[in-house]
Amino acid sequence: MKALEITNFKKSYNGNVAVDDISLVIKPGQFYGLLGPNGAGKSTTIHCITGIGRYTEGKIELFGHDVNDDYREARKRVGLAPQEFNVDIFSTPEKTIDYIAGYYGMRKKERKIRVAEVLEQFGLTEHKAKQFKQLSGGMKRRVMLARAMVHDPDFLILDEPTAGVDVELRHELWDHLRALNKSGKTILLTSHYLEEVELLCDTVAIMNKGKIVFEAPMADVTKNGTLEKKYLELTKDEL
Ligand code: ADP
Ligand code: MG
């Protein structure tokens, strides 16, 4: 069984190609890093995996469920911590997470227990009643992570989770992600921080201009040089 299988996936916006015929496979339990400069097509790919974006070319499956044709089953299995904070900034972490739990069909009683659980897990209990806009950058990221995990998905997708997060909180987030992966969650992480991907991920792909230009086990990359060297080689603009 594959956790994620993308086959010949393409996506354009108004005729401009954002993702240009990519294929990739992620196996259960993997911690997969997708690197690439701004505009490479990482978020577009993630939006189509999670049902935020629509697509017509290619095929995307989560644990064998087609994300278009079988979206109810597919969406249960995935949680997304998005790059942009797509929340009501006047609302609280507790309400924000509860709202999504409702979206996944949890009843009020069950929600109460589960929301309290994820708030605690991500160290948000004491901040649960504050307005989102009053939280620090790191706390906001944690809310995104807690919300992504509320329905206990097997697959977690994080789109640049540490952008704008200071060093200390970044390390804290990394610890959370490592623990989740250890507990059996499959993780797809996009980032443009090379060290982050190198530290956390067992497999890395590099995307540039809508294409996957490189994929390898991390151990192989670091054995034959540095990830940075590889990355710069593959993403430098043509003259
Ligand atoms: P990344 O996440 O790797 O930075 P994106 O997937 O956000 O890349 O963007 C890929 C390309 O698609 C870029 O050229 C970007 O400008 C374009 N793009 C992304 N979202 C939209 C959108 N909603 N409408 C039009 N163009 C978009
Ligand atoms: Mg992006």
Side-chain angles (χ1 to χ4, degrees):
M1 173 68 75
K2 290 154 186 163
L4 172 68
E5 182 166 24
I6 299 179
T7 314
N8 299 122
F9 164 63
K10 260 185 162 184
K11 165 93 180 172
S12 302
Y13 297 104
N14 314 314
N16 297 315
V17 178
V19 179
D20 190 6
D21 192 10
I22 66 163
S23 297
L24 71 87
V25 169
I26 299 180
K27 290 185 221 125
Q30 269 192 298
F31 201 140
Y32 192 100
L34 186 58
L35 273 168
N38 282 329
K42 305 181 298 295
S43 292
T44 298
T45 302
I46 281 170
H47 291 160
C48 290
I49 297 169
T50 52
I52 295 169
R54 306 293 300 164
Y55 66 96
T56 52
E57 286 182 88
K59 193 174 175 69
I60 304 178
E61 287 183 349
L62 280 165
F63 298 96
H65 300 281
D66 190 292
V67 305
N68 270 346
D69 303 341
D70 197 7
Y71 73 91
R72 278 175 206 281
E73 287 305 314
R75 80 172 185 203
K76 277 190 216 162
R77 287 166 174 79
V78 64
L80 168 68
Q83 184 175 358
E84 313 289 343
F85 297 125
N86 57 347
V87 299
D88 174 358
I89 59 163
F90 299 102
S91 188
T92 67
E94 189 175 34
K95 285 183 190 150
T96 299
I97 298 168
D98 182 73
Y99 178 79
I100 291 293
Y103 168 84
Y104 284 108
M106 276 180 231
R107 297 297 176 90
K108 200 170 178 184
K109 254 191 176 161
E110 185 192 353
R111 285 208 311 265
K112 208 172 166 189
I113 295 165
R114 182 59 188 158
V115 172
E117 233 169 54
V118 290
L119 284 168
E120 188 61 28
Q121 186 184 355
F122 292 99
L124 287 163
T125 304
E126 65 181 290
H127 306 288
K128 69 179 185 183
K130 292 181 184 164
Q131 284 188 330
F132 187 82
K133 68 182 177 81
Q134 292 171 333
L135 302 174
S136 68
M139 286 296 158
K140 286 174 179 160
R141 284 288 159 201
R142 283 201 220 169
V143 175
M144 295 292 103
L145 202 54
R147 187 183 66 169
M149 292 306 296
V150 75
H151 58 302
D152 197 25
D154 295 321
F155 197 132
L156 178 61
I157 301 182
L158 302 128
D159 198 357
E160 307 214 8
T162 57
V165 174
D166 67 37
V167 180
E168 211 168 81
L169 284 162
R170 186 175 295 173
H171 280 270
E172 242 182 65
L173 269 169
W174 289 348
D175 288 342
H176 278 301
L177 297 182
R178 280 201 194 96
L180 285 167
N181 182 239
K182 257 207 170 131
S183 78
K185 304 296 181 195
T186 310
I187 301 181
L188 168 60
L189 168 77
T190 82
S191 181
H192 50 235
Y193 293 115
L194 298 157
E195 51 146 354
E196 176 166 291
V197 170
E198 190 167 336
L199 260 170
L200 295 172
C201 301
D202 54 55
T203 310
V204 60
I206 298 175
M207 220 175 157
N208 194 26
K209 297 180 184 161
K211 290 190 186 292
I212 292 180
V213 292
F214 180 77
E215 191 198 33
M218 191 61 76
D220 290 0
V221 180
T222 47
K223 197 170 62 193
N224 303 320
T226 65
L227 181 58
E228 185 170 18
K229 189 164 161 254
K230 195 87 220 161
Y231 182 81
L232 290 173
E233 198 179 295
L234 291 164
T235 58
K236 72 170 190 290
D237 284 318
E238 292 93 27
L239 295 171

